[in-house]
C-alpha cells in the first residue's frame, strides 16, 4: 500500500526495459510532476537518462538516432496528437512508449498509423496517474474541481482516472463506499465502479480474506481542519510557505541564500526531513541544533588535512559532507523563516483562539477574544478572517451569535472585501454538507462522527494540537466495523462484514497534511491496517478558501464554460494543468 514505491517502481521499470544505452525521457506537463515527486533528477541521470523533454515543447529539435527515447505521457487527445507528430518524423532511434492510464484502441490505432518507420518497440500502460507525495499520501493537483456544488466534468473524469490508477498500481479490486450526504462522492464512486466493470480484465486481483475498501469522502464533512494553523513541521511549511510537488519557493524569504530560490522537501531524499516531518515546531528547534552540532564537528575534522591519508579521507567523505551542508542550510533557513512568521504574526495567540473555537463550547468567551483580535493590528487580515470563519461555522445556529458584528469589525480594520465575502461562503459550504445529509445525521453513528468536528482529544497536553480531524474518527469507526450502511452505503450490490485491512481513502475537495499525519499515526498504532490517503488537492488554508469560493459561488448550470457533458477521455481540469 505504498503509492510512492509503486510510482518509483514504474519509473524504474520503464527506463530499465529500454535496455542499456543513452536515453532521452519525454514527458508532458503533468507526468513531469508525477515523476519529479518520486525521483530526483540525479537518480534518473544514474540510469543513463541524459536528456529530458516536454512533449509540447519538443518542436523540431536535433535528430539524434543514437539515443533511445522513453516516452511517459497521460493518455490525452492532445498528447496523442503530439506523439503521432513525433513518430511521423522520429528524431531518435527507437521509442518505448508508456501511458499513465488506460489508453483507448482508437488512440493506439492513431499511433500505429503514424509509426511509418517502425521505430516503436513497445507501448504499455504504467498506472502512475497521480502525484505520490509520500508513501501513504497522493494528490491529483486539481484546483477548484467543484463549481456551484457540482463536479466540473473534466475534473470528475480526471478524478476517476487518478483513483483507478491508484487501485491498479496497488493491485486492489475494492468494494466501494461513499458518504451518503454527498452527491459529489456518490457520482465519483459510481463512475469508478463503472470503469472497474468496463475494464474488468485489468482488475483480476485476488481479494483474499481482507477485502480492500475504497472510501470516497467529501471535504464538507470537515471544513474546520483546513482552516487551522498547523504546528507539525511539514504542515507548517505548507501552511506558511506552501509546498507544491514537494518543492518550496524561498524567493523573498529574508536571509535565504541566493542560490537557494527553491528547495526540495522529500522524505525519500532527505533523511532529516523524513525523521522530523511530523515533529511539533517546539521540538524541531532542538533537532536543528543537534544537526548543526554534528555538521560543525565534521567541518572541523575536514579542516585538518595534513597527510595523504587525510586528503584521501576528505575526498571520500566530501560528497556526504557537501550533501549535509545543503541539508543544514535548507532546514535552518526554513525553520528560521517559520519562526520569524510565527513571531511577526502572533500565530501562537491566534492558534490558541482557533483551537478553543474548534474544540471547546465557550461561545461568550470565544466571541470576546475574537473581538479583541479584530480590534488590533497585531495579526494579519488572513488570520482575523479565519477566526471569523471558524466562529461562523461553529456558531451560525447559536441564539446569541454575532456574525454580522464580526463582519463589521473586519470592515473597520480594512480587511480585503474578498476575505469578508468568504465568511458567508464558508457558512454556506459547511451547511451544504449538513443540509444534504440532514436525514442521515439523525442516525446514532453519524451523529457521533459529526460531533467530532468541534471536539478535541481528551487529555491533550498541547493546547495548539487539541483538534482532531473528523477523518480520524471515520477511520476508527471503519476499522471497528461501525460505519453504518445508511451513512456510508456501498456502490452496487457488494457489501461485506469482513475487516478492511487495505483501504484507499479519497476526499473530494482535497485533504490536508494534518489528516495525513492522523493516518500515519493510526497505521503505526494499528499493525496490519494499511491506508493510502488522497484527494483532489492538498490544501493549506488559502487554497481551501479559493476552493470554497468556487464551490459556492459559481452557478454550474449557468456557466457555458462547463456544460453538462462528459469530458473527453484523458482531459485534465481546465484543460491545462500546471
Amino acid at each position: 500500500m505504498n503509492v510512492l514505491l509503486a510510482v518509483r517502481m514504474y519509473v524504474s521499470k520503464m527506463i530499465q526495459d529500454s535496455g542499456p544505452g543513452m536515453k532521452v525521457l519525454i514527458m508532458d506537463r503533468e507526468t513531469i510532476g508525477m515523476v519529479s515527486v518520486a525521483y530526483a533528477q540525479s537518480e534518473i541521470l544514474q540510469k543513463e537518462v541524459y536528456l529530458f523533454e516536454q512533449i509540447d515543447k519538443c518542436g523540431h529539435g536535433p535528430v539524434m538516432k543514437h539515443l533511445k527515447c522513453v516516452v511517459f505521457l497521460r493518455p490525452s487527445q492532445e498528447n496523442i496528437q503530439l506523439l503521432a507528430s513525433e513518430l511521423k518524423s522520429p528524431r531518435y532511434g527507437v521509442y518505448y512508449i508508456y501511458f499513465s492510464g488506460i489508453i483507448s484502441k482508437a488512440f493506439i490505432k492513431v499511433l500505429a498509423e503514424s509509426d511509418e518507420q517502425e521505430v516503436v518497440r513497445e507501448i504499455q500502460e504504467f498506472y502512475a496517474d497521480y502525484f505520490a507525495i509520500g508513501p501513504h499520501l497522493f494528490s491529483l493537483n486539481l484546483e477548484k474541481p467543484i463549481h456551484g456544488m457540482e463536479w466540473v466534468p473534466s475534473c470528475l473524469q480526471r478524478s476517476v482516472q487518478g483513483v483507478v490508477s491508484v487501485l491498479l498500481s496497488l493491485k486492489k479490486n475494492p468494494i466501494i463506499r461513499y458518504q451518503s450526504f454527498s452527491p459529489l462522492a456518490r457520482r465519483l464512486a459510481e463512475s469508478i465502479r463503472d470503469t472497474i466493470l468496463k475494464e474488468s480484465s485489468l482488475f483480476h486481483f485476488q481479494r483474499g480474506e481482507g477485502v480492500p475498501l475504497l472510501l470516497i469522502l467529501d471535504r464538507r464533512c470537515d471544513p474546520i481542519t483546513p482552516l487551522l494553523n498547523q504546528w507539525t513541521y511539514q504542515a507548517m511549511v505548507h501552511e506558511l510557505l506552501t509546498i507544491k510537488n514537494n518543492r518550496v519557493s524561498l524567493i523573498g524569504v529574508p536571509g535565504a541564500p541566493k542560490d537557494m530560490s527553491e528547495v526540495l522537501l522529500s522524505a525519500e531524499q532527505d533523511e532529516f526531513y523524513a525523521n522530523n516531518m511530523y515533529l511539533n515546531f517546539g521540538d524541531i528547534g532542538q533537532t536543528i541544533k543537534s544537526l548543526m552540532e554534528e555538521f560543525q564537528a565534521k567541518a572541523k575534522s575536514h579542516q585538518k588535512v595534513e597527510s595523504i591519508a587525510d586528503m584521501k579521507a576528505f575526498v571520500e567523505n566530501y560528497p556526504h559532507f557537501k550533501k549535509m551542508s545543503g541539508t543544514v542550510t535548507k532546514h535552518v533557513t526554513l525553520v528560521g523563516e517559520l519562526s520569524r512568521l510565527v513571531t511577526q504574526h502572533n500565530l501562537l495567540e491566534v492558534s490558541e483562539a482557533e483551537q478553543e473555537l474548534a474544540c471547546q463550547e465557550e461561545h461568550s468567551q470565544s466571541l470576546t477574544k475574537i473581538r479583541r483580535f479584530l480590534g488590533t493590528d497585531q495579526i494579519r487580515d488572513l488570520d482575523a478572517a479565519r477566526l471569523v470563519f471558524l466562529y461562523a461555522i461553529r456558531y451560525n445556529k447559536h441564539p446569541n451569535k454575532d456574525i454580522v458584528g464580526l463582519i463589521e469589525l473586519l470592515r473597520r480594520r480594512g480587511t480585503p472585501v474578498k476575505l469578508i465575502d468568504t465568511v458567508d461562503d464558508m457558512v454556506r459550504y459547511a451547511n451544504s454538507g449538513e443540509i444534504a445529509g440532514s436525514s442521515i445525521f439523525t442516525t446514532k453513528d453519524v451523529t457521533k462522527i459529526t460531533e467530532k468536528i468541534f471536539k478535541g482529544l481528551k487529555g491533550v497536553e498541547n493546547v495548539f494540537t487539541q483538534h482532531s480531524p473528523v477523518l480520524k474518527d471515520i477511520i476508527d469507526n471503519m476499522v471497528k466495523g461501525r460505519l453504518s450502511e445508511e451513512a456510508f452505503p456501498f456502490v452496487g450490490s457488494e457489501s461485506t462484514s469482513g475487516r478492511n485491512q487495505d483501504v484507499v481513502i479519497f476526499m473530494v475537495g482535497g485533504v490536508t497534511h494534518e489528516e495525513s499525519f492522523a493516518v500515519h499515526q493510526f497505521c503505526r498504532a494499528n499493525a496490519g491496517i494499511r491506508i493510502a490517503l488522497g484527494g483532489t488537492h492538498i490544501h493549506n488554508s488559502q487554497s481551501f478558501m479559493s476552493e470554497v469560493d468556487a464551490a459556492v459561488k459559481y452557478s454550474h448550470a449557468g456557466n457555458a464554460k462547463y456544460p453538462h457533458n462528459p469530458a473527453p477521455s484523458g482531459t485534465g481540469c481546465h484543460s491545462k494543468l500546471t
Side-chain angles (χ1 to χ4, degrees), residues 133-380:
I133 306 302
H136 69 269
L137 180 64
F138 67 93
S139 171
L140 300 184
N141 283 11
L142 293 178
E143 296 180 3
K144 304 177 184 178
I146 310 301
H147 283 196
M149 295 304 176
E150 295 274 355
W151 274 105
V152 174
S154 59
C155 292
L156 172 62
Q157 183 72 11
R158 179 67 185 91
S159 297
V160 172
Q161 293 167 341
V163 176
V164 166
S165 178
V166 169
L167 296 175
L168 287 169
S169 66
L170 297 176
K171 296 178 170 55
K172 302 298 176 187
N173 181 12
I175 57 170
I176 304 173
R177 301 181 73 172
Y178 63 92
Q179 280 188 304
S180 61
F181 81 80
S182 172
L184 301 171
R186 185 187 71 245
R187 191 173 176 196
L188 177 60
E190 290 173 347
S191 298
I192 291 170
R193 186 60 183 162
D194 290 344
T195 301
I196 290 175
L197 292 174
K198 182 182 176 183
E199 305 292 344
S200 58
S201 61
L202 297 175
F203 287 87
H204 56 270
F205 318 116
Q206 294 295 322
R207 284 181 171 174
E209 291 182 12
V211 181
L213 170 67
L214 170 63
L215 182 61
I216 309 290
L217 305 178
D218 189 320
R219 178 76 267 165
R220 289 175 292 171
C221 75
D222 180 9
I224 298 302
T225 298
L227 291 173
L228 299 174
N229 267 298
Q230 299 299 315
W231 294 102
T232 55
Y233 190 29
Q234 180 188 44
M236 273 190 85
V237 173
H238 189 46
E239 176 59 37
L240 297 177
L241 299 173
T242 305
I243 303 172
K244 185 173 182 180
N245 290 347
N246 286 347
R247 283 165 173 77
V248 181
S249 172
L250 295 181
I251 295 174
V253 171
K258 292 181 180 180
D259 61 343
M260 199 175 273
S261 61
E262 183 180 80
V263 294
L264 177 68
L265 278 183
S266 169
E268 193 73 21
Q269 294 145 36
D270 184 336
E271 186 180 355
F272 178 85
Y273 182 63
N275 294 334
N276 296 283
M277 60 195 291
Y278 296 130
L279 273 191
N280 281 327
F281 187 57
D283 299 325
I284 284 290
Q286 186 59 45
T287 57
I288 285 285
K289 182 182 176 184
S290 300
L291 181 68
M292 282 288 294
E293 290 172 350
E294 183 185 351
F295 175 70
Q296 287 170 347
K298 290 191 176 182
K300 285 181 180 178
S301 69
H302 281 185
Q303 291 173 357
K304 299 177 181 178
V305 182
E306 299 172 350
S307 65
I308 297 296
D310 289 339
M311 292 180 188
K312 183 180 178 183
F314 176 81
V315 171
E316 288 176 348
N317 294 325
Y318 184 74
H320 176 71
F321 178 77
K322 184 71 174 174
K323 182 180 180 181
M324 190 176 183
S325 172
T327 299
V328 170
T329 304
K330 172 171 66 177
H331 290 290
V332 166
T333 302
L334 285 173
V335 173
E337 177 62 4
L338 293 179
S339 182
R340 184 186 74 83
L341 293 173
V342 167
T343 303
Q344 180 177 325
H345 302 311
N346 290 295
L347 294 184
L348 286 170
E349 289 184 60
V350 172
S351 182
E352 186 176 353
E354 290 174 353
Q355 293 289 326
E356 287 175 6
L357 275 168
C359 304
Q360 299 175 21
E361 183 68 50
E362 296 289 347
H363 173 262
S364 179
Q365 182 179 319
S366 294
L367 183 57
T368 301
K369 184 171 283 191
I370 295 171
R371 285 170 175 161
R372 179 172 60 82
F373 272 120
L374 298 187
T376 176
D377 59 359
Q378 293 179 352
I379 68 171
R380 296 177 297 177

Side-chain angles (χ1 to χ4, degrees), residues 440-574:
I440 298 300
F441 285 164
T442 58
T443 65
K444 185 177 179 183
D445 290 335
V446 182
T447 301
K448 284 183 179 178
I449 292 172
T450 53
E451 282 176 353
K452 288 283 186 176
I453 293 177
F454 295 103
K455 211 167 188 178
L457 293 171
K458 292 180 181 178
V460 169
E461 295 178 4
N462 191 334
V463 70
F464 303 110
T465 55
Q466 298 175 67
H467 178 259
S468 173
V470 172
L471 177 66
K472 186 173 182 179
D473 298 284
I474 291 176
I475 293 171
D476 188 54
N477 279 274
M478 173 197 70
V479 169
K480 293 175 180 176
R482 293 178 181 171
L483 288 186
S484 72
E485 286 194 41
E486 187 181 8
F488 295 89
F490 294 85
V491 174
S493 57
E494 284 194 309
S495 64
T496 179
S497 57
R499 191 182 185 204
N500 303 119
Q501 294 178 306
D502 294 336
V503 183
V504 176
I505 299 173
F506 186 82
M507 191 171 288
V508 178
V511 293
T512 66
H513 283 297
E514 182 180 347
E515 286 157 334
S516 172
F517 180 36
V519 167
H520 170 76
Q521 286 181 309
F522 188 90
C523 291
R524 285 188 65 181
N526 295 269
I529 303 298
R530 295 170 291 273
I531 299 174
L533 173 67
T536 46
H537 196 71
I538 296 179
H539 283 306
N540 58 17
S541 61
Q542 295 191 59
S543 65
F544 178 61
M545 282 186 270
S546 296
E547 179 129 334
V548 168
D549 180 65
V552 172
K553 286 186 176 177
Y554 281 86
S555 174
H556 192 78
N559 192 336
K561 188 178 179 182
Y562 303 106
H564 282 280
N565 63 295
S569 176
T571 59
C573 186
H574 301 170

Side-chain angles (χ1 to χ4, degrees), residues 427-445:
V427 175
R428 288 167 62 194
Y429 181 85
N431 286 347
S432 69
E434 183 178 335
I435 294 167
S438 58
S439 62
I440 298 300
F441 285 164
T442 58
T443 65
K444 185 177 179 183
D445 290 335

